[in-house]
Amino acid sequence: MKKVAVILSGCGVFDGSEVNEAILTLLSLEEQGLSYNCFAPSMDFNSVNHIDNTEGDVRNVLVESARLTRGHISPLESLNVDDFQSLVVVGGFGVAKNLSNFAKGLDFEILPSFKEILCNFKKRKKWVGLMCIAPIVLPFIYKKPICTIGHCKDTSLFIERNGGTHVECEVVNIVCDNDNHIVTTPAYMLARNIIEAKEGINKLISKLAGEIK
């Protein structure tokens, strides 16, 4: 069976993986007949109270991500690219906070283990799907990647200033970069409800299912 690696960054839109995106991704993978394993970095982070957006306690990304997968998850460092035909990176602010330092507004850096995995998928020309804000990492891995985060001006400018090409896209659609083997969708950068997010994510997973061998 074709296997897909899924990278999570916590549990919750403001400090981890966007929950609806994560569940819709896993559902779509199963509907497409794809097997998957989930991964997240084992590292501490400052959580966010999702009711009032105040700072919460210190938690672990891997432990929080396990809430989304009923405990079936492995440390990011154990991900072996040779075991998978494709990769999906779920969105949410955890990508900007835990998988990179984008949220801090500093010189941009990607979590080393995450960056290494992306580079390995690139070297092997295996398809990678990213949603929501996750495409911000692409210009630092691929040469002139074509991608979308929807319509957000600041984020799209960040992508273009660092060598990427941003394509405006509605939530229900995807943008494919066939040269770099990348597919992206806006998801909750634009989604007003679960149904809208589901349509774009389903198209992303369908694209991966059609491309991987």
Side-chain angles (χ1 to χ4, degrees), residues 52-73:
D52 58 16
N53 210 31
T54 58
E55 186 171 320
D57 55 356
V58 175
R59 301 185 183 186
N60 181 275
V61 177
L62 180 63
V63 173
E64 290 300 294
S65 299
R67 294 174 179 272
L68 297 169
T69 63
R70 300 175 62 86
H72 301 295
I73 196 165

Side-chain angles (χ1 to χ4, degrees), residues 23-96:
I23 301 307
L24 288 170
T25 294
L26 302 186
L27 174 62
S28 187
L29 287 166
E30 291 190 13
E31 289 176 337
Q32 292 286 338
L34 299 171
S35 174
Y36 61 84
N37 290 101
C38 296
F39 300 86
S42 182
M43 56 183 282
D44 291 339
F45 72 102
N46 291 319
S47 66
V48 173
N49 182 319
H50 278 55
I51 296 176
D52 58 16
N53 210 31
T54 58
E55 186 171 320
D57 55 356
V58 175
R59 301 185 183 186
N60 181 275
V61 177
L62 180 63
V63 173
E64 290 300 294
S65 299
R67 294 174 179 272
L68 297 169
T69 63
R70 300 175 62 86
H72 301 295
I73 196 165
S74 301
L76 185 62
E77 296 76 15
S78 69
L79 196 165
N80 183 349
V81 65
D82 293 326
D83 293 337
F84 300 92
Q85 286 74 50
S86 186
L87 172 71
V88 175
V89 182
V90 175
F93 210 58
V95 175

Side-chain angles (χ1 to χ4, degrees), residues 188-205:
Y188 272 92
M189 290 295 285
L190 292 178
R192 295 168 296 181
N193 53 56
I194 296 174
I195 292 175
E196 286 187 349
K198 182 178 188 292
E199 188 168 350
I201 290 171
N202 280 351
K203 288 179 180 177
L204 183 148
I205 300 300

Side-chain angles (χ1 to χ4, degrees), residues 148 169-176 183-186 199-205 207:
T148 190
C169 176
E170 298 305 321
V171 64
V172 297
N173 290 322
I174 59 175
V175 169
C176 298
V183 56
T184 53
T185 191
E199 188 168 350
I201 290 171
N202 280 351
K203 288 179 180 177
L204 183 148
I205 300 300
K207 172 67 175 178

